Amino acid sequence: MANEKIPYKIYLNESEMPKQWYNMRADMKTKPAPLLNPGTGKPMTAEELSVVFCKDLVEQELDNDTKYFDIPDEILSFYKMYRPSPLVRAYCLEEKLQTPAKIYYKFEGNNTSGSHKLNSAIAQAYYAKKQGLKGVTTETGAGQWGTALSMACAYLNLDCKVFMVKCSYEQKPFRREVMRTYGASVTPSPSMETEVGKRINAAHPGTTGSLGCAISEAVEVATKSEGYRYVLGSVLNQVLLHQSVIGLETKAAMDKYGIKPDLIIGCAGGGSNLGGLIAPFMGEKLRGEADYRFIAVEPASCPSFTRGVYAYDFCDTGMVCPLAKMYTLGSDFIPSPNHAGGLRFHGMSSTLSELYHEGLMEARAVNQTDVFEAAEYFARVEGILPAPESSHAIRVALDEAIRCRETGEEKTILFGLTGTGYFDLVAYQKYHDGTMTDYIPTDEELAQYRAKLPKV
Ligand SMILES: *Cc1c(COP(=O)(O)O)cnc(C)c1O
């Protein structure tokens, strides 16, 4: 089919949808560094992790060798409600940009939660249910993860307790109400319901919270409540595994038409959508079967890859979670309040960190006003209102397509369009009103947080 005209949207048939997740770690020569117990400094055992996480998910987390995991039938059925997601050939964008580049994007925003996070939420809720648990706890920042998890829990009849970063809880009441519609309880964090929340509130009166605080609270509630475990929407190996469905579908759709991307671009918060999108392509690269360029795009105001260090660090502010080796800015780092574009986690997936460290992947940091400029341009040309997070990838895809126009190169560019931006209109408003600013932390600021990294 290589010469057939490529449609605007490539959908797989149900029968062509992936039935297994792919574990990139199995093909890595150097495996991502293990999670460490902060008390002993030793790798976390399955037993220790099982206090916090569901049993099957712990196995997936620690498994660096199994290449493929069967997707359980119940999860496949759920996926069929909103997958396959379209792989779009951005003909309109190519025309508008007058670029010889061929641009594709994989659109993950076609579900009520509005993002790719549902791919892992349903998997994590499924394994919690299978274990016979009553419910799960989690944190949410902007709210996409909490929304996805509450949808998955409603489907499986599981209780869902969400700690929502206080400033988002107040600024994004509509997100909160979506979660409550699906039956989740939503608590602003830091709360007075946990020991760690009380401690953080006492140390920082009036704080509007952070993702790191909310994680500490959710973990505390999970470990202290009978029949509950904690689930996390990004960063962990298991989440990248579930998100590989994005890349596997993309690869299957491209193979059908004989398309090979030269450049694969994704935004990076904790690394789950990017890790999922690149997985099968990176697998080929790791096995020496093909070559691709991969670019992680992050906000200049939270530059974990481009300005962080590769070191063991806490994933949360309360320091109750295991230590992960990753590119990090330090667990106390909170992006400046004017930052509206998401992707505000201080660290990064250990798997992607190792790949970046080995030079198998590149990273770029972009300013938020440039990100919103790209978002608006994209919305006007391709019609979709993109999430600010996704628009980081759009920015770099546009830059690369413009570069192709200048050099005449006919590159094939693929990027991940992770979600829609309907709940981010306050940020869009700031951009339109001209009140959005850029903030780039100074080297001195970053050094302060780096100095507080745990000594391992
Ligand atoms: C959460 C989110 C991201 C960032 O998370 P990753 O784990 O880095 O993928 C990106 N885009 C959208 C729409 C999100 O909701």
Side-chain angles (χ1 to χ4, degrees):
M1 281 215 212
N3 294 321
E4 192 176 309
K5 160 113 169 134
I6 292 162
Y8 271 73
K9 282 189 186 155
I10 308 177
Y11 280 106
L12 297 176
N13 300 322
E14 260 181 32
S15 62
E16 296 166 320
M17 284 171 65
K19 294 182 182 55
Q20 295 180 308
W21 292 303
Y22 165 63
N23 179 10
M24 207 161 36
R25 286 168 284 157
D27 282 310
M28 290 170 71
K29 284 195 192 73
T30 308
K31 307 297 181 191
L35 295 169
L36 297 185
N37 180 323
T40 63
K42 298 224 168 67
M44 291 290 289
T45 61
E47 202 181 358
E48 288 168 327
L49 285 170
S50 301
V51 178
V52 181
F53 299 109
C54 307
K55 192 175 138 292
D56 288 4
L57 293 167
V58 169
E59 272 171 32
Q60 294 178 357
E61 189 63 30
L62 297 177
D63 192 331
N64 287 333
D65 304 305
T66 304
K67 265 193 200 185
Y68 290 97
F69 285 82
D70 287 340
I71 306 176
D73 285 341
E74 293 85 340
I75 299 177
L76 282 175
S77 311
F78 188 86
Y79 278 172
K80 283 179 190 163
M81 293 201 294
Y82 69 101
R83 309 199 68 80
S85 71
L87 176 68
V88 183
R89 172 74 186 268
Y91 283 117
C92 302
L93 195 58
E94 290 169 20
E95 171 71 24
K96 181 82 178 174
L97 289 167
Q98 288 291 299
T99 176
K102 298 177 179 68
I103 309 174
Y104 293 86
Y105 57 90
K106 180 73 166 162
F107 179 47
E108 291 290 318
N110 266 339
N111 66 75
T112 298
S113 72
S115 82
H116 66 286
K117 294 207 170 66
L118 197 52
N119 301 330
S120 184
I122 186 61
Q124 299 196 46
Y126 167 81
Y127 290 113
K129 187 75 184 177
K130 187 173 162 224
Q131 193 174 328
L133 298 177
K134 285 186 213 143
V136 290
T137 70
T138 199
E139 77 295 330
T140 198
Q144 290 98 319
W145 168 244
T147 308
L149 187 68
S150 56
M151 284 176 74
C153 286
Y155 181 74
L156 294 169
N157 206 6
L158 269 176
D159 185 36
C160 180
K161 293 186 198 299
V162 180
F163 286 87
M164 186 169 187
V165 177
K166 198 181 273 170
C167 65
S168 299
Y169 182 91
E170 284 157 6
Q171 286 168 12
K172 298 196 171 182
F174 298 135
R175 267 279 181 219
R176 191 176 77 203
E177 292 317 312
V178 180
M179 289 184 254
R180 291 176 64 197
T181 300
Y182 286 103
S185 71
V186 187
T187 308
S189 165
S191 74
M192 295 303 276
E193 291 176 19
T194 63
E195 294 310 314
V196 64
K198 286 180 202 159
R199 210 166 73 217
I200 293 168
N201 270 318
H204 309 277
T207 176
T208 54
S210 71
L211 219 44
C213 296
I215 297 176
S216 303
E217 290 205 274
V219 170
E220 183 182 318
V221 171
T223 51
K224 286 186 178 166
S225 318
E226 175 80 31
Y228 282 80
R229 290 292 184 282
Y230 166 71
V231 293
L232 179 63
S234 184
V235 185
L236 296 174
N237 295 329
Q238 54 185 276
V239 185
L240 269 72
L241 176 71
H242 307 147
Q243 295 296 357
S244 69
V245 68
I246 304 173
L248 292 163
E249 274 185 11
T250 305
K251 181 117 194 343
M254 289 194 142
D255 285 349
K256 217 169 148 174
Y257 287 90
I259 306 158
K260 187 181 170 294
D262 297 297
L263 195 57
I264 304 177
I265 302 165
C267 63
S272 73
N273 86 83
L274 179 64
L277 176 67
I278 69 173
F281 301 99
M282 183 60 90
E284 288 191 335
K285 182 163 170 145
L286 290 165
R287 296 189 300 271
E289 297 166 6
D291 198 16
Y292 304 97
R293 270 180 73 201
F294 303 100
I295 306 180
V297 191
E298 59 186 13
S301 54
C302 190
S304 322
F305 270 136
T306 52
R307 295 175 71 201
V309 286
Y310 192 31
Y312 268 102
D313 193 11
F314 285 97
C315 293
D316 62 324
T317 313
M319 303 183 185
V320 298
C321 289
L323 295 164
K325 188 172 178 193
M326 55 187 176
Y327 276 86
T328 179
L329 298 165
S331 63
D332 276 347
F333 180 85
I334 297 176
S336 113
N338 76 348
H339 173 72
L343 310 175
R344 37 177 64 245
F345 187 60
H346 65 272
M348 187 55 68
S349 140
S350 294
T351 302
L352 292 190
S353 292
E354 180 56 34
L355 293 169
Y356 178 66
H357 189 66
E358 291 177 31
L360 291 160
M361 194 175 76
E362 305 161 38
R364 240 176 253 179
V366 289
N367 282 331
Q368 71 173 350
T369 49
D370 298 332
V371 166
F372 278 85
E373 181 193 44
E376 188 183 82
Y377 186 90
F378 182 83
R380 290 178 188 182
V381 180
E382 285 285 319
I384 296 172
L385 179 75
E389 291 90 342
S390 323
S391 306
H392 288 71
I394 298 175
R395 175 73 268 165
V396 170
L398 292 181
D399 291 346
E400 290 297 320
I402 292 166
R403 190 200 307 266
C404 287
R405 178 174 70 206
E406 284 155 10
T407 62
E409 285 173 288
E410 293 182 26
K411 287 230 158 76
T412 298
I413 299 171
L414 163 66
F415 69 94
L417 187 68
T418 50
T420 46
Y422 301 111
F423 290 104
D424 301 286
L425 293 171
V426 173
Y428 272 95
Q429 182 185 6
K430 286 194 180 121
Y431 176 70
H432 295 141
D433 290 347
T435 55
M436 176 173 280
T437 52
D438 290 310
Y439 182 79
I440 302 177
T442 62
D443 288 338
E444 290 70 30
E445 266 172 79
L446 293 184
Q448 276 175 27
Y449 294 104
R450 197 177 302 150
K452 289 195 247 166
L453 284 173
K455 309 274 175 285
V456 178

